[in-house]
Structure formats: structure tokens, C-alpha cells
Amino acid sequence: MKVGDTVRIKSTSIYYGRKEETNPINIIGVITKIDKYPLGILVDWSNGFNNGYNTADLEVVDSVNNNYSIY
């Protein structure tokens, strides 16, 4: 994963299904920053909110084919 990648929350993440606007399911977001601390992958969601995650929580979206890939 890298800054600029389009992502969504994986269904296996502890944040999936919490019904919180800051942890949206099936909504696309963009990685805006990556730091080395836990939850250091910062994502701006298309619903206007943002939050931090680790790699286990996210999957990259191939926007061309609308496919999802786990990295």
C-alpha cells in the first residue's frame, strides 16, 4: 500500500460493520499518509470523514476494474 491508493475496509477488520461514519463499509477512500506507528495508514473516505488503520484492516481497490486485492 502507498499514498494515493484507493482502499476500503476489509470484511475481516475489527472496524468493519461498526456502523460509524469514520469506519464506513463498502465506501471507497484514499490513503493520504503512511506513518510507522500503529494505525498509521491515514485514509480520507468519500463520505467526508477520515481515520487511521493498519494494513490488516484495508484492501486496495483496483478502480479500473473495480476489483479488490489484498496486500
Side-chain angles (χ1 to χ4, degrees):
M1 289 185 197
K2 63 187 180 310
V3 171
D5 279 352
T6 304
V7 295
R8 73 174 185 170
I9 298 176
K10 283 190 206 178
S11 61
T12 55
S13 169
I14 62 171
Y15 302 107
Y16 187 88
R18 286 190 173 183
K19 298 180 182 176
E20 300 168 336
E21 293 174 321
T22 57
N23 293 308
I25 60 170
N26 300 321
I27 290 183
I28 304 303
V30 176
I31 296 175
T32 57
K33 186 175 182 181
I34 298 178
D35 289 326
K36 294 185 180 188
Y37 59 87
L39 305 181
I41 300 173
L42 302 178
V43 177
D44 282 350
W45 297 110
S46 60
N47 66 356
F49 291 88
N50 59 47
N51 211 339
Y53 301 90
N54 64 43
T55 55
D57 295 313
L58 301 170
E59 56 190 3
V60 175
V61 177
D62 174 354
S63 61
V64 174
N65 299 316
N66 204 26
N67 293 324
Y68 298 93
S69 303
I70 300 171
Y71 291 91

